[in-house]
Amino acid sequence: VGIKKIKRAKMNIYISTCDKTLYTIDVFQYFFNKYWDSSQQVTVLGYKTPHFDLLSNFNFVSLGEDRGPHYFSSDLLNYLNNSNEKYLIHAWDDAPVINKVDIKKIVAMKNFMKENESFKKACLTPDLVSREYISVNSDFAKVAPNAGYKLATTWQMWDVDYFKKYLALNYSPWDFEIKASKQSNDDGFEVFGYKEKCPVNTCNLVRGGKGGTTFIRKSFYMNLGDYPGYPHMKNEDRNMCLKLFRKHNKKVSHFDR
């Protein structure tokens, strides 16, 4: 399986948020336009309209009332059912990119999916190769059988019909990653990613606490997974995060989990 000559390709990027963590979009958009591309359109899928300004390439769509995480799948599915796109990128509000994104590699991944119909999802981060995997070629690896988290949701490129198939199971984000992943193990389709130098390096700003509360992680500036070879957030960006947290009356916690 090979990769044809890379061509530039437009693709929609969707960011899921909720009322409790909507403020993280203010951080997310800063990082995105610094390390991705300010001409790339981004659609934020949430509930209440942001009370802060969005950058010109960010668009907000309300999915209605925030009824809690157990409605994540059905709310997103309802939106995508009105879309006719073939591929999309999906990520979370609290997982901004923290250094330069390799857009050419993302385009190459999309082209690979188009040329190889059994590959329905691409992991843009090092997450896939942090677990058991099988080599596909010199660049790519695929999820090994029963390795877990086949349907991880942080910075993934999806074949839309494949995404919708599992959204129809109506899981919360956490159940989607665990239960839907198990159900997908024998579906005959593959998930792949780069073996090294993955195109997206991200972090995890927020964690959930007891009773549905959320808090900003003490180590919000570290790359998600603490993967070797991938830098943590730069000091200047870390300071910008703290400034934006203060803007929204948020404080960094003493905890990570």
Side-chain angles (χ1 to χ4, degrees), residues 118-214:
S118 64
F119 288 81
K120 296 297 186 183
K121 185 167 85 80
C123 178
L124 307 186
T125 76
D127 179 68
L128 187 151
V129 291
S130 70
R131 289 181 281 275
E132 186 180 359
Y133 64 85
I134 297 171
S135 179
V136 175
N137 58 25
S138 59
D139 292 318
F140 296 140
K142 65 181 182 180
V143 174
N146 302 310
Y149 290 92
K150 179 181 175 183
L151 301 188
T153 57
T154 299
W155 283 114
Q156 308 288 320
M157 183 193 305
W158 292 85
D159 176 289
V160 175
D161 287 339
Y162 187 71
F163 197 11
K164 288 164 63 175
K165 172 183 176 180
Y166 288 101
L167 287 172
L169 298 176
N170 206 25
Y171 286 134
S172 70
W174 306 281
D175 284 343
F176 186 92
E177 291 196 325
I178 296 172
K179 294 180 180 179
S181 288
K182 289 181 179 178
Q183 291 172 260
S184 74
N185 281 337
D186 299 317
D187 66 6
F189 296 109
E190 309 284 1
V191 173
F192 75 106
Y194 274 93
K195 293 178 180 177
E196 57 184 14
K197 297 182 180 178
C198 296
V200 169
N201 181 28
T202 185
C203 65
N204 180 213
L205 301 176
V206 174
R207 284 289 172 91
K210 293 181 178 179
T213 60
T214 61

Side-chain angles (χ1 to χ4, degrees), residues 3 13 33 38 91 110 119 130 134 136 141 186 222 255:
I3 301 174
I13 297 177
N33 281 14
S38 61
K110 180 181 179 182
F119 288 81
S130 70
I134 297 171
V136 175
D186 299 317
M222 296 179 65
F255 306 99

Side-chain angles (χ1 to χ4, degrees), residues 35 99-107 197-200:
Y35 291 121
N99 63 279
K100 190 66 176 177
V101 172
D102 193 330
I103 299 173
K104 287 185 178 180
K105 281 192 170 182
I106 293 175
V107 175
K197 297 182 180 178
C198 296
V200 169

Side-chain angles (χ1 to χ4, degrees), residues 92 94-96 98 154 202-208 215-225 233 256-257:
W92 295 98
D94 66 340
I98 58 174
T154 299
T202 185
C203 65
N204 180 213
L205 301 176
V206 174
R207 284 289 172 91
F215 60 90
I216 298 172
R217 302 176 67 222
K218 180 181 178 181
S219 60
F220 70 87
Y221 55 89
M222 296 179 65
N223 79 62
L224 181 58
M233 194 182 290
D256 279 328
R257 295 184 180 275

